[in-house]
Amino acid sequence: MRKIIFLLLLITVCNRGELFSQKQRQAVIDSLLTELPKAKEDTNKVNLLADLGQAALDNYEYDKALTYCKNCLSLSERLDFKKGKAAAYAIMAMAYDSRGNYTEALVNYNAALKLQEESGDKKGVAGTYNNIGIVYAYQGNSAEALKMYLASAKINEAIDNKAWLANNYANMGLIYQGLGNYSEALKKSFAALKIYEALGDKQNIASSYNNIGLLYWGQKEYTEALKIYYQALKIIGKGGDSMRMHHPYNNMAGIYSDIGNYAEALKNYSLSLKIRERIGDKNLIADSHTGIGIVYQKMNNYKKAIDNFNEALNLYTETSNTYALAGIHASFGEI
C-alpha cells in the first residue's frame, strides 16, 4: 500500500497572503503590531486585525490567527461592518481547516459565504467555495469537492481572476488523481502550471511541480517524479521558505519506499516530519507517520510499523479524516 499526499491549496482573503519567505512574513506581522496600539475603534482597525490574522495564518501561527480574528469579528459586529465580519470568519475557517477541525471550518466558511453573497463580493465567494471544496476533499467527498471547485472556477473565469482560477485547476487535478483519472488530472495540473508561469508566481510553480510529481508517481514514472520534486525543492529553496519543503520531501520518501530504497525513504520522511511538527498540522504529521510505518512494514519491522500507524490513527481520528483513516485500517489489516 502507498499513501499519497494531496497538496490542496487554500485561497487567502487578504492581500498579504502572497509573501513567500518566513522572514518577510514575520516582518509583516511586526509592522502590523506596531500599528495596532495606535488604531482607533473603526473599520481601519478591523482591516488591521484581519491583516494580522491572515499574516499569522501564513506564518503557521494558528492560535494567534484565531485570536486576532475573534477580536476583528467582535469589533465588526459592534460597527455592523459586513466586510470585516466576512474576513474574520473566512480566516478563522482557514485556521481551523489547517488544524484539522473541519466541523468548525465549515461553520465559519458558511458564515463567511452568507455575508459575501449578501454584499455581492464575487471574489470572496469564489475563494470560499474553493476552500469549502478543500474540506470536502479531506473528508473524502470527492463529488462535493469538485462541485465547489467548479463553482469557484466559474466565478474566477467571469471576473478574470487568473491566479485563483489556477488554484481551482490545481485542486481539481488532485481530486481527479484520487479518482484515478490521470489524464484529466494532468490536464488540470498543467493548466494551473501554465497560468502560474505566466504570472511569474514561483511559490505556486513549485506547488504545481509537486502536484505533477504526484501524477508521475501514481503512474510509476519514478524517475520523472523525482526530477520534478528536486525542481520543486530548488525553487522553494531560492524563495527562502524552508517550511514549504515538507511536501516534496514526503513525496520523494514515498517514491524511494516504492522502489525499495528504504534508507532514503526514512531520511526524507524524517526531514518532512520535522517541518510538519513545527507547522503543527495534525493531518500532515499523521501522513508522515503513515509513510514511515509503511517503510518499516516493508522492512518487516512490524513493531515500529505499528507504532507509527498508531500515531497516525490517533491524529486522523482527532481530525475526523475519513479518507486517511481508511488507509490506516488497511495498513493494519496487511500487517
Side-chain angles (χ1 to χ4, degrees), residues 99-118:
R99 295 171 66 174
N101 188 339
Y102 300 133
T103 300
E104 283 298 319
L106 284 174
V107 167
N108 282 274
Y109 277 138
N110 284 316
L113 183 62
K114 182 180 178 181
L115 290 163
Q116 289 161 344
E117 288 175 334
E118 287 175 358

Side-chain angles (χ1 to χ4, degrees), residues 182-246:
Y182 291 108
S183 175
E184 194 63 29
L186 278 169
K187 179 181 175 182
K188 296 298 184 185
S189 296
F190 276 111
L193 178 60
K194 184 178 180 180
I195 294 173
Y196 288 135
E197 287 177 335
L199 295 172
D201 185 345
K202 291 183 180 179
Q203 177 174 334
N204 281 314
I205 289 171
S207 295
S208 293
Y209 277 140
N210 196 61
N211 292 348
I212 292 167
L214 285 173
L215 295 171
Y216 284 129
W217 178 14
Q219 296 177 90
K220 299 184 179 181
E221 296 182 36
Y222 302 125
T223 301
E224 286 301 312
L226 285 171
K227 285 180 182 178
I228 288 289
Y229 289 136
Y230 278 116
Q231 284 181 289
L233 285 172
K234 188 176 180 181
I235 292 171
I236 295 168
K238 286 182 179 179
D241 189 1
S242 62
M243 297 288 271
R244 289 178 59 83
M245 290 181 171
H246 65 94

Side-chain angles (χ1 to χ4, degrees), residues 136-137 140-150 175 179:
Y136 285 134
N141 192 339
S142 299
E144 284 301 311
L146 275 175
K147 181 180 176 181
M148 292 294 105
Y149 296 149
L150 286 167
I175 294 296
L179 295 172

Side-chain angles (χ1 to χ4, degrees), residues 46-233:
V46 169
N47 293 331
L48 180 60
L49 286 165
D51 283 352
L52 266 169
Q54 183 67 64
L57 179 73
D58 293 337
N59 210 36
Y60 311 106
E61 297 176 296
Y62 304 131
D63 289 337
K64 288 184 180 180
L66 288 169
T67 298
Y68 293 134
C69 286
K70 286 175 182 178
N71 291 335
C72 174
L73 180 60
S74 178
L75 180 56
S76 296
E77 287 175 337
R78 294 204 304 271
L79 299 171
D80 194 25
F81 184 36
K82 281 189 178 182
K83 183 178 178 182
K85 287 189 281 187
Y89 280 127
I91 299 167
M92 286 193 293
M94 286 188 282
Y96 285 122
D97 193 342
S98 297
R99 295 171 66 174
N101 188 339
Y102 300 133
T103 300
E104 283 298 319
L106 284 174
V107 167
N108 282 274
Y109 277 138
N110 284 316
L113 183 62
K114 182 180 178 181
L115 290 163
Q116 289 161 344
E117 288 175 334
E118 287 175 358
S119 61
D121 180 6
K122 292 182 180 180
K123 186 175 181 181
V125 170
T128 300
Y129 275 146
N130 179 83
N131 292 349
I132 291 173
I134 290 172
V135 176
Y136 285 134
Y138 274 128
Q139 292 178 326
N141 192 339
S142 299
E144 284 301 311
L146 275 175
K147 181 180 176 181
M148 292 294 105
Y149 296 149
L150 286 167
S152 179
K154 184 177 180 180
I155 296 171
N156 285 323
E157 285 178 330
I159 64 176
D160 196 30
N161 189 357
K162 291 184 172 63
W164 286 13
L165 179 60
N167 189 297
N168 298 144
Y169 288 150
N171 288 343
M172 282 189 271
L174 292 168
I175 294 296
Y176 283 121
Q177 179 202 354
L179 295 172
N181 188 341
Y182 291 108
S183 175
E184 194 63 29
L186 278 169
K187 179 181 175 182
K188 296 298 184 185
S189 296
F190 276 111
L193 178 60
K194 184 178 180 180
I195 294 173
Y196 288 135
E197 287 177 335
L199 295 172
D201 185 345
K202 291 183 180 179
Q203 177 174 334
N204 281 314
I205 289 171
S207 295
S208 293
Y209 277 140
N210 196 61
N211 292 348
I212 292 167
L214 285 173
L215 295 171
Y216 284 129
W217 178 14
Q219 296 177 90
K220 299 184 179 181
E221 296 182 36
Y222 302 125
T223 301
E224 286 301 312
L226 285 171
K227 285 180 182 178
I228 288 289
Y229 289 136
Y230 278 116
Q231 284 181 289
L233 285 172

